[in-house]
């Protein structure tokens, strides 16, 4: 059983490979009316260059210190997206994420068996946003906006370890789900007609469902080379401190990650 924490650590460290960015956009374009509803859809990928922390499965803890290559090696599928609707100073944000990861390894000793780890996480979030600042800066009159966000997120997490031995197969871990509050803030500053810089921060959990605190910090750019489509990219820091007790024993996931993100945003006329 000595290899179990190592295999689990590789898989659990990948559980935030794709995660939604805080991307509500209250800044109107020249062809949009602030008094009318405007809609935006976006898809993202977050690729952590480094993942560090500790994971616990059935009371067995293991340190995590992995690079991007080790994370990608175990990825099955990942998708993340956001839909936003704004009218005046008020906005609604719908956030959806899904990913599935698996890995396997051999247990020590001749004929001892094997271990397979599977992680599937999905969440759905609904946030309300309010534009607290909307103005211009500099001699050229470039625009900026700042908004704050608050809402709730539903999480569903599967973390299973199947241990196959000459005897019966043992399954550790299981499924868990919970609701948690989410708050955040975001600012956007125009650089020219095509480029803008964006910074955001998001906090979630606050002890709900065993998630003590989840933090996301993003700094990047919004590049719009086409009328309705933008390319979004930048750098992200993410951390989570989650712990609970399942039927098979204590489970914990306390990690931090950082790396680039990239996405595509489409504005619906």
């Amino acid at each position: 059983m000595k290899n179990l924490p190592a295999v689990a650590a590789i898989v659990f460290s990948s559980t935030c490979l794709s995660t939604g960015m805080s991307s509500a956009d209250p800044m109107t374009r020249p062809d949009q009316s602030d008094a009318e509803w405007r809609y935006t859809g976006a898809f993202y990928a977050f690729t952590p260059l480094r993942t560090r922390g500790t994971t616990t499965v059935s009371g067995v803890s293991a340190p995590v210190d992995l690079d991007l290559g080790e994370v990608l090696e175990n990825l099955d599928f990942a998708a993340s997206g956001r839909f936003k609707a704004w009218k005046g100073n008020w906005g609604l944000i719908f956030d959806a994420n899904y990913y599935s990861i698996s890995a396997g390894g051999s247990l020590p000793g001749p004929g001892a068996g094997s271990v397979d780890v599977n992680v599937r996480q999905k969440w759905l979030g609904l946030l309300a946003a309010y534009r607290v600042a909307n103005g211009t800066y500099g001699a050229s009159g470039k625009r900026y906006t700042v908004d704050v966000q608050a809402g709730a997120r539903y999480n569903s997490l599967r973390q299973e370890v199947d241990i196959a031995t000459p005897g019966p197969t043992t399954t550790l871990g299981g499924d868990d789900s919970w609701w948690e509050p989410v708050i955040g803030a975001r600012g956007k500053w125009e650089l020219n007609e095509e480029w803008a810089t964006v910074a955001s921060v998001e906090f979630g959990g606050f002890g709900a469902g065993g998630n003590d605190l989840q933090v996301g910090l993003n700094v990047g750019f919004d590049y719009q080379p086409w009328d309705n489509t933008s390319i979004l990219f930048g750098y992200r820091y993410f951390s989570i401190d989650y712990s609970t007790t399942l039927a098979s024993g204590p489970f914990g996931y306390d990690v931090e990650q950082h790396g680039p993100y990239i996405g595509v945003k489409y504005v619906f006329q």
Side-chain angles (χ1 to χ4, degrees), residues 31 40 51 60 113 149 158 184 190 195 224 250 254-255 264:
D31 60 340
T40 303
T51 301
V60 180
Q149 307 160 12
R158 173 182 297 161
E190 283 187 337
W195 288 86
Q224 186 179 338
D254 183 4
V255 302
V264 177

Side-chain angles (χ1 to χ4, degrees), residues 18-20 42-43 79-83 94-98 122-125:
S18 177
T19 186
F43 293 94
S80 177
R82 275 198 169 191
F83 177 81
F94 177 74
D95 185 18
N97 296 266
Y98 179 93
K122 56 185 177 181
W123 70 75
L124 301 173

